[in-house]
């Protein structure tokens, strides 16, 4: 019989899950898992890369940080929150996943997301396609004019950029102005018929925010402040996020 | 919207959809509301480079849509539209996936010929506003 209790492993170092617990309200309840599996059974990412949300949480709880860093699964969870909704303990797995994305150096995160974030940081648009405010202004003006002429019932329709004092600030996914500009028009028509006083912003019109998905918090905040700041500067009272 | 404000606010959108397509033509998928499954377009997945896994993630959503038997799927945002559109082609059902603004304008009779990219053949020629402006 052993005289002393057997000690397992090394000194407990600061592990990933503890850091996340400090970051989020109520520690995300990350300690409370009953291992019931409700999260995994309804998660569309279950099975990808041999992973599922319950397993991911267990790995974090066991301090298997290296394995977590090595896994690509955090990029396959969409952070949809369905697991939180069904969890009896309201455990915030998506926050754990989001923070797991930060464990890799920025340059080693998925190229497509990284590139989209960098594009958005290139100019004031905040567009993941790197489109400049000038190009956006040109496309919007051009398309508007074309429709005012070809559909005279909408001759008075507007699609303003930086209209001071407008009630609504509207953002726009970049794919429309860049690749399918006609798709912007139906929404303009609806806003026109509804009598909405709205505007785009020359700054921060891009609706997508890939820096958020990249888990580059500083850049995410920068883009968000850029667009929210423009809405405030214009005196808009409601921010309409189309994404 | 539902993520931030909960299920009740999403009922407003059901009201809009029903008003536009007619109560009898609206089919909710199962499960729905907060129990629904994400399509897989979110969280950066579309740009992550993991295409095969993304389509696998969306298998559930595609099956859910097929099970409704509906002719059209309405997507609430751009990410979802891109993903579900791809699912519809990838899994071979080819149901059209449309933006809400397209159906609202169609129902108001103000949808022009160049604003119909995502309508199926059954609606492409219906109530075309200023057909002469087709490009
Ligand atoms: S649903 Fe909640 S309690 Fe159940 S296994 Fe998942 S995280 Fe744990
Ligand atoms: S947030 Fe992530 S882990 Fe949770 S259900 Fe959605 S995809 Fe699965």
């Amino acid at each position: 019989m052993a005289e002393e209790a057997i000690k397992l492993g090394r000194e407990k170092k600061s592990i990933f899950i503890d850091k996340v617990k400090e970051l989020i309200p109520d520690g995300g309840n990350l300690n409370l898992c009953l291992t019931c599996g409700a999260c995994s059974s309804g998660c569309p990412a279950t099975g990808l890369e041999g992973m599922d949300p319950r397993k991911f949480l267990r790995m974090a709880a066991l301090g298997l940080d290296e394995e977590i860093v090595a896994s690509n699964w955090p990029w396959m969870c969409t952070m949809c929150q369905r697991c939180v909704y069904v969890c009896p303990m309201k455990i915030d797995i998506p926050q754990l996943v989001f923070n797991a994305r930060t464990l890799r150096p920025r340059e080693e995160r998925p190229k497509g997301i990284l590139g989209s974030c960098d594009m958005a940081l290139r100019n004031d648009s905040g567009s993941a396609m790197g489109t400049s405010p000038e190009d956006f202004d040109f496309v919007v003006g051009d398309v508007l004019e074309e429709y005012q002429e070809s559909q005279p019932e909408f001759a008075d329709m507007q699609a303003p950029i930086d209209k001071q004092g407008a009630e609504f600030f509207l953002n726009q996914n970049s794919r429309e102005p860049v690749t399918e500009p006609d798709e912007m028009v139906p929404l303009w028509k609806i806003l026109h018929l509804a009598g909405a006083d709205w505007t785009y912003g020359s700054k921060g019109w891009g609706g997508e925010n890939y820096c958020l998905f990249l888990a580059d918090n500083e850049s995410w905040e920068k883009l968000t402040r850029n667009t929210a700041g423009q809405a405030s500067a214009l005196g808009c009272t409601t921010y309409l996020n189309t994404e | 919207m539902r993520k931030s404000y909960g299920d009740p606010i999403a009922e407003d959108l059901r009201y809009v959809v029903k008003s536009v397509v007619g109560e009898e033509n609206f089919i909710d998928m199962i499960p729905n509301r907060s129990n629904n499954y994400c399509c897989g377009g979110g969280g950066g997945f579309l740009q992550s480079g993991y295409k095969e896994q993304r389509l696998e993630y969306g298998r559930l959503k595609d099956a859910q849509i097929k099970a409704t038997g509906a002719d059209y799927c309405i997507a609430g945002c751009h990410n979802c539209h891109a993903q579900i559109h791809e699912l519809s082609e990838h899994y071979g059902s080819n149901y059209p996936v449309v933006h809400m603004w397209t159906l609202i304008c169609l129902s108001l009779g103000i949808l022009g010929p160049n604003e119909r990219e995502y309508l199926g053949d059954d609606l492409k020629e219906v109530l075309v506003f200023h057909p002469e402006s087709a490009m």
Side-chain angles (χ1 to χ4, degrees):
Chain A
M1 194 187 286
E3 302 192 342
E4 282 178 70
I6 300 168
K7 277 201 185 137
L8 284 174
R10 297 153 283 165
E11 283 288 287
K12 191 169 182 271
K13 51 185 183 261
S14 167
I15 58 171
F16 166 59
I17 197 170
D18 295 327
K19 289 185 198 144
V20 179
K21 275 185 224 158
E22 280 165 27
L23 282 175
I24 56 181
D26 297 325
N29 296 336
L30 296 174
N31 273 344
L32 304 181
C33 180
L34 315 165
T35 67
C36 68
C39 49
S40 298
S41 68
C43 166
T46 286
L48 301 179
E49 308 286 290
M51 191 67 79
D52 63 63
R54 176 177 60 176
K55 187 169 170 184
F56 190 78
L57 178 64
R58 296 305 333 132
M59 284 172 60
L62 291 168
L64 300 175
D65 292 4
E66 280 164 33
E67 286 81 353
I68 286 178
V69 178
S71 170
N72 292 325
W73 192 76
W75 305 95
M76 297 169 194
C77 155
T78 61
M79 296 176 280
C80 71
Q81 305 188 359
R82 189 184 191 276
C83 52
V84 186
Y85 187 73
V86 298
C87 174
M89 308 309 289
K90 293 287 162 262
I91 295 175
D92 202 340
I93 292 175
Q95 276 290 355
L96 186 68
V97 170
F98 177 78
N99 283 285
R101 291 186 178 191
T102 66
L103 295 176
R104 287 186 193 178
R106 192 177 186 276
E107 319 74 65
E108 289 170 26
R109 298 176 197 172
K111 273 208 293 293
I113 303 179
L114 179 67
S116 297
C117 171
D118 285 342
M119 278 293 180
L121 296 170
R122 245 173 46 164
N123 56 51
D124 278 340
S125 299
S127 150
M129 297 175 93
T131 315
S132 70
E134 294 74 32
D135 286 352
F136 180 62
D137 184 83
F138 175 79
V139 173
V140 168
D142 198 45
V143 172
L144 179 69
E145 201 180 299
E146 186 189 313
Y147 275 84
Q148 284 170 334
E149 278 168 25
S150 68
Q151 303 182 356
E153 291 84 344
F154 288 92
D156 297 334
M157 180 169 74
Q158 297 298 314
I161 298 177
D162 289 343
K163 180 181 174 193
Q164 198 70 40
E167 183 178 359
F168 301 103
F169 183 93
L170 185 77
N171 67 14
Q172 173 79 61
N173 186 297
S174 311
R175 198 173 81 173
E176 274 113 28
V178 177
T179 66
E180 42 182 18
D182 289 313
E183 284 295 319
M184 296 190 288
V185 179
L187 184 54
W188 295 350
K189 289 180 178 173
I190 294 164
L191 292 166
H192 175 71
L193 291 182
D197 184 13
W198 68 281
T199 187
Y200 288 128
S202 59
K203 292 182 182 174
W205 58 265
E208 61 281 357
N209 193 331
Y210 275 88
C211 296
L212 155 66
F213 302 143
L214 188 66
D216 174 350
N217 290 345
E218 212 176 295
S219 304
W220 167 24
E221 182 179 347
K222 187 174 164 193
L223 291 179
T224 305
R225 286 197 184 281
N226 181 42
T227 186
Q230 184 68 2
S232 304
L234 294 172
C236 302
T237 47
T238 303
Y239 188 104
L240 291 179
N241 186 4
T242 55
E243 272 305 288
Chain B
M1 196 158 75
R2 171 172 58 74
K3 293 282 161 54
S4 312
Y5 301 107
D7 283 337
I9 194 116
E11 294 308 317
D12 291 353
L13 276 183
R14 281 187 175 72
Y15 170 79
V16 175
V17 175
K18 286 176 189 169
S19 307
V20 166
V21 304
E23 181 101 35
E24 66 283 7
N25 292 317
F26 173 70
I27 311 169
D28 233 329
M29 53 182 89
I30 299 170
N32 53 54
R33 301 178 170 82
S34 284
N35 275 322
N36 210 329
Y37 303 117
C38 169
C39 65
F45 217 164
L46 273 177
Q47 299 282 6
S48 68
Y50 300 115
K51 181 177 171 182
E52 199 186 306
Q53 290 91 335
R54 172 168 59 77
L55 291 170
E56 187 55 36
Y57 185 115
R59 184 188 289 276
L60 203 52
K61 176 56 68 185
D62 179 69
Q64 241 188 320
I65 296 168
K66 278 183 216 166
T68 63
D71 295 328
Y72 278 78
C73 175
I74 303 172
C77 88
H78 209 121
N79 266 290
C80 304
H81 183 270
Q83 166 78 348
I84 300 172
H85 195 257
E86 192 176 340
L87 294 175
S88 155
E89 287 177 357
H90 178 77
Y91 289 110
S93 294
N94 297 307
Y95 43 81
V97 186
V98 289
H99 296 289
M100 195 62 234
W101 59 61
T102 306
L103 289 190
I104 293 176
C105 287
L106 178 65
S107 74
L108 291 170
I110 53 167
L111 193 69
N114 307 318
E115 301 152 65
R116 300 178 170 240
E117 174 74 20
Y118 298 106
L119 288 181
D121 290 340
D122 53 346
L123 290 178
K124 273 261 195 290
E125 311 292 333
V126 173
L127 271 176
V128 183
F129 189 58
H130 287 286
E132 74 288 352
S133 62
M135 299 253 285

